[in-house]
Amino acid sequence: DIQMTQSPSSLSASVGDRVTITCRASQGIRNYLAWYQQKPGEVPKLLIYAASTLQLGVPSRFSGSGSGTDFTLTISSLQPEDVATYYCQKYDSAPRTFGQGTKVEIK
Amino acid sequence: EVQLVESGGGLVQPGGSLRLSCAASGFTFSSYTMDWVRQAPGKGLEWVSDISSSGSAIYYADSVKGRFTISRDNAKNSLYLRMNSLRAEDTAVYYCARDWGLGNDHWGQGILVTVSS
């Protein structure tokens, strides 16, 4: 099975900072990758699909890139409401594995 | 408005069984693959199982294969997860989620399953 590895597992940044989270697949998955945001005590929310397409209503400071095995989620200017854990997920085929998550905090 | 409402969770002893249900509304349920995703306390998301729109294609995570059974009733707009031989490590919040082919675009609020003696 394909493994999904995120890094870092956590990060602390200042408001306004550019934040980058990476997700690596152990084998190529083309662009069949989604990113989710889960705020504390809330349900996961789909942010990005097809590696780089923003879901409706997601602020434009979020962006995704990559294809094959290496992917990134970028927050161009971190806001207090972005405090959350972010997960990548492959959906090319089962098992639809999630990464282990990246917890983002404000410094 | 898409709504997914899970039910059937609770406390069960190791080795016991439980059946989760997910009532769907606000969309054409029979047109979508549906997933179960779980989250152990303080841990990350784990994909558990999914079932195609017709029920003809079913997949499971290795961690639950042979113990869990996913099913659906399109006439009742409902998704199910039968969980047998439950273990302590199955303790988690279980989410029902709609799969639109590009990830899970709608999630239920989740239901807690606790496996403990």
Side-chain angles (χ1 to χ4, degrees):
Chain A
D1 293 344
I2 297 173
Q3 306 303 313
M4 305 300 292
T5 304
Q6 284 181 237
S7 61
S9 55
S10 65
L11 65 89
S12 182
S14 300
V15 173
D17 281 355
R18 184 181 184 88
V19 168
T20 299
I21 297 168
T22 66
C23 177
R24 176 164 289 177
S26 59
Q27 296 175 42
I29 57 170
R30 291 172 286 180
N31 70 334
Y32 291 97
L33 187 99
W35 288 98
Y36 300 87
Q37 176 192 61
Q38 187 177 32
K39 296 182 179 181
E42 296 188 7
V43 172
K45 171 188 170 184
L46 178 65
L47 284 182
I48 288 171
Y49 59 91
S52 60
T53 303
L54 242 59
Q55 176 69 325
L56 284 174
V58 173
S60 59
R61 63 180 179 273
F62 290 92
S63 64
S65 65
S67 184
T69 59
D70 294 311
F71 303 88
T72 60
L73 171 69
T74 300
I75 308 172
S76 60
S77 176
L78 187 67
Q79 299 302 304
E81 59 267 32
D82 300 335
V83 168
T85 301
Y86 295 84
Y87 298 91
C88 63
Q89 184 199 26
K90 64 175 279 295
Y91 57 83
D92 61 324
S93 62
R96 307 186 197 285
T97 310
F98 288 90
Q100 79 276 20
T102 296
K103 188 174 184 179
V104 174
E105 298 176 320
I106 300 291
K107 194 181 293 182
Chain B
E1 179 194 4
V2 173
Q3 286 201 331
L4 298 167
V5 180
E6 301 94 340
S7 60
L11 175 64
V12 61
Q13 292 189 339
S17 298
L18 215 52
R19 188 204 199 201
L20 304 183
S21 299
C22 172
S25 61
F27 66 103
T28 305
F29 180 73
S30 59
S31 295
Y32 289 85
T33 292
M34 296 296 296
D35 297 7
W36 287 101
V37 176
R38 69 183 180 183
Q39 187 168 35
K43 302 297 183 182
L45 301 173
E46 180 186 13
W47 174 84
V48 173
S49 179
D50 67 48
I51 184 168
S52 63
S53 56
S54 67
S56 60
I58 287 174
Y59 301 96
Y60 297 100
D62 286 346
S63 58
V64 307
K65 202 173 294 182
R67 300 186 300 122
F68 289 13
T69 303
I70 192 172
S71 62
R72 65 191 296 160
D73 185 335
N74 286 343
K76 294 183 177 180
N77 291 338
S78 293
L79 174 72
Y80 306 103
L81 186 68
R82 176 69 180 181
M83 304 184 293
N84 295 331
S85 304
L86 283 161
R87 307 165 180 167
E89 54 265 35
D90 296 318
T91 294
V93 172
Y94 284 74
Y95 295 102
C96 159
R98 189 176 83 167
D99 183 341
W100 67 317
L102 298 169
N104 296 117
D105 65 339
H106 289 277
W107 297 63
Q109 285 301 305
I111 190 83
L112 178 62
V113 172
T114 303
V115 184
S116 175
S117 54

